[in-house]
Amino acid sequence: MGKVLVFTEHTNGNLKRSSMELLQAAAKSGNTVVAVAFGSHAGDVTAAAGHNGANEIYVVKDASLDSYNPEAFTANIASVVEKVQPTILLASASATGRDLFPRVAARLNTGVASDCTELNISGDTVTATKPMYSGKCFAKVNFENSPVKIVLMRANQLPVAAADTSKSATVVEHAAAKPDLKTLIKEIVKGASEKLDLTEANVIVSGGRGLKEAANFKMLSDLADVLGATVGASRAVVDAGWVGHGMQVGQTGKTVAPTLYIAVGISGAIQHLAGMSGSKVIVAINNDPNAPIFQKATYGIVGDAFEIVPKLTEEFKKALH
Ligand code: FAD
């Protein structure tokens, strides 16, 4: 059996759910699972990594890795790969993962399967499935001549069982590589409206042009607050300047796969569906019974969003609080 290296992502030491998915999938494969964590808080991830199936964790505890820097991260992943010699490398198809791992693949002269929705590992063999042409078809990806098979998985695609607190990972402190950086991240400015990033969210309430104007997104925030959800949007309202691009779901926005996606006043254009059709349960609220979103929806509510959404908010408030 070989080694599967899992690049973990965390927020100030709290392991992200997407990384738990990858660790648990790697553990099920029977390979040795080696996690890697970057940044000042990397040491805080070790327990959770062990509980989710890591046998070993490489901790690269260095403040230069607190924020994503493509050059620094590429050099440090390459350095850990050289030490660990994995046959498979798993990471999340997050904004960081999508930017970082094509660079890593080029550095290691190996192959990368990006934005995958299914993963099968049998020994050293990996087969991944990825949607193509905005989800109109699916490609099965195998690797040839790839010393390290790199797979980037969309979040929320793999199951997460309860963490096993009796398990732990051996911690290896790994010295940070310090390449000459051509770029320096000075500050990360978070979008004010975003709570949990859309790609990580378990429940999303998304709004489209049917909301008529920017101020009406307040109605969605109220529903989202009750559900503990993150608010998303269609491109039409992003282009109109009602909300920031960080909230856009779709082909040219974020790809999401929550347990529950509530689409309010969104027609269901193919480019929007491309970003959210992996959601487990889709609820569509639209006053046009022929809106294409209803073909994808698990539950459809035909009616005026301005009547339905406040009622839903009230009912959920009673039921959940
Ligand atoms: P509309 O299509 O105008 O739909 C509004 C809906 O609201 C209608 O179905 C209407 O019946 C309903 N409605 C109106 N009033 C009410 C009411 N009172 N109550 C309930 N429902 C109501 N789009 C994306 O979303 N994400 C992308 O990433 C994206 N990428 C694109 C990339 C390319 C290259 C191109 C060409 C397009 C892309 N688009 C994307 C745009 C996409 O084609 C659609 O134009 C867009 O998704 C439409 O947004 P919408 O559903 O909010 O608006």
Side-chain angles (χ1 to χ4, degrees):
M1 283 290 169
K3 288 182 181 172
V4 181
L5 182 65
V6 177
F7 173 68
T8 62
E9 293 186 38
H10 60 94
T11 310
N12 296 327
N14 291 315
L15 190 64
K16 289 193 175 179
R17 187 200 135 99
S18 52
S19 298
M20 296 179 192
E21 293 180 30
L22 298 173
L23 288 167
Q24 294 196 13
K28 274 188 209 139
S29 75
N31 289 289
T32 301
V33 182
V34 184
V36 55
F38 285 173
S40 310
H41 294 282
D44 301 343
V45 176
T46 55
H51 298 162
N52 283 284
N55 302 106
E56 255 185 314
I57 177 161
Y58 276 61
V59 168
V60 191
K61 213 188 282 178
D62 197 282
S64 67
L65 300 171
D66 281 349
S67 300
Y68 175 57
N69 178 303
E71 296 163 82
F73 272 50
T74 303
N76 277 281
I77 290 285
S79 158
V80 172
V81 165
E82 195 181 323
K83 186 81 206 303
V84 174
Q85 296 286 313
T87 49
I88 299 165
L89 198 168
L90 302 180
S92 170
S94 59
T96 297
R98 285 172 203 234
D99 190 73
L100 171 61
F101 285 95
R103 297 168 191 272
V104 170
R107 174 79 65 101
L108 301 175
N109 196 19
T110 196
V112 58
S114 188
D115 198 26
C116 298
T117 52
E118 282 177 32
L119 174 68
N120 282 299
I121 305 176
S122 171
D124 284 352
T125 308
V126 180
T127 309
T129 303
K130 61 175 283 170
M132 297 181 74
Y133 304 114
S134 303
K136 288 200 193 80
C137 63
F138 292 85
K140 284 243 182 286
V141 183
N142 296 310
F143 291 83
E144 278 183 12
N145 304 321
S146 294
V148 187
K149 301 159 185 100
I150 304 178
V151 180
L152 309 183
M153 288 295 298
R154 281 189 193 175
N156 294 331
Q157 298 296 313
L158 300 167
V160 174
D164 183 346
T165 50
S166 69
K167 290 189 175 157
S168 61
T170 307
V171 179
V172 180
E173 301 268 355
H174 188 79
K178 297 274 187 186
D180 283 339
L181 300 179
K182 295 183 189 68
T183 52
L184 200 63
I185 311 296
K186 298 200 108 175
E187 192 188 358
I188 305 279
V189 182
K190 274 231 161 231
S193 54
E194 277 187 83
K195 292 181 192 165
L196 187 60
D197 187 86
L198 281 170
T199 55
E200 290 280 319
N202 200 32
V203 182
I204 293 174
V205 180
S206 252
R209 194 150 33 197
L211 287 177
K212 316 287 186 219
E213 57 176 313
N216 293 331
F217 261 75
K218 166 83 172 62
M219 182 170 84
L220 296 197
S221 316
D222 291 345
L223 176 57
D225 283 347
V226 175
L227 294 174
T230 300
V231 178
S234 71
R235 175 164 162 176
V237 304
V238 172
D239 286 351
W242 297 359
V243 298
H245 182 260
M247 291 169 69
Q248 184 181 319
V249 173
Q251 186 182 323
T252 44
K254 290 182 175 166
T255 303
V256 301
T259 305
L260 174 62
Y261 188 91
I262 305 180
V264 184
I266 292 178
S267 58
I270 183 77
Q271 297 89 354
H272 188 80
L273 299 178
M276 45 63 77
S277 54
S279 308
K280 292 201 175 51
V281 174
I282 297 170
V283 175
I285 303 170
N286 198 302
N287 61 4
D288 174 5
N290 297 315
I293 189 80
F294 287 127
Q295 286 167 22
K296 275 280 168 195
T298 325
Y299 301 101
I301 305 176
V302 179
D304 184 356
F306 296 96
E307 283 175 26
I308 294 161
V309 173
K311 276 188 191 151
L312 282 179
T313 307
E314 275 316 302
E315 290 305 317
F316 280 126
K317 234 185 232 168
K318 281 187 222 155
L320 299 173
H321 296 279

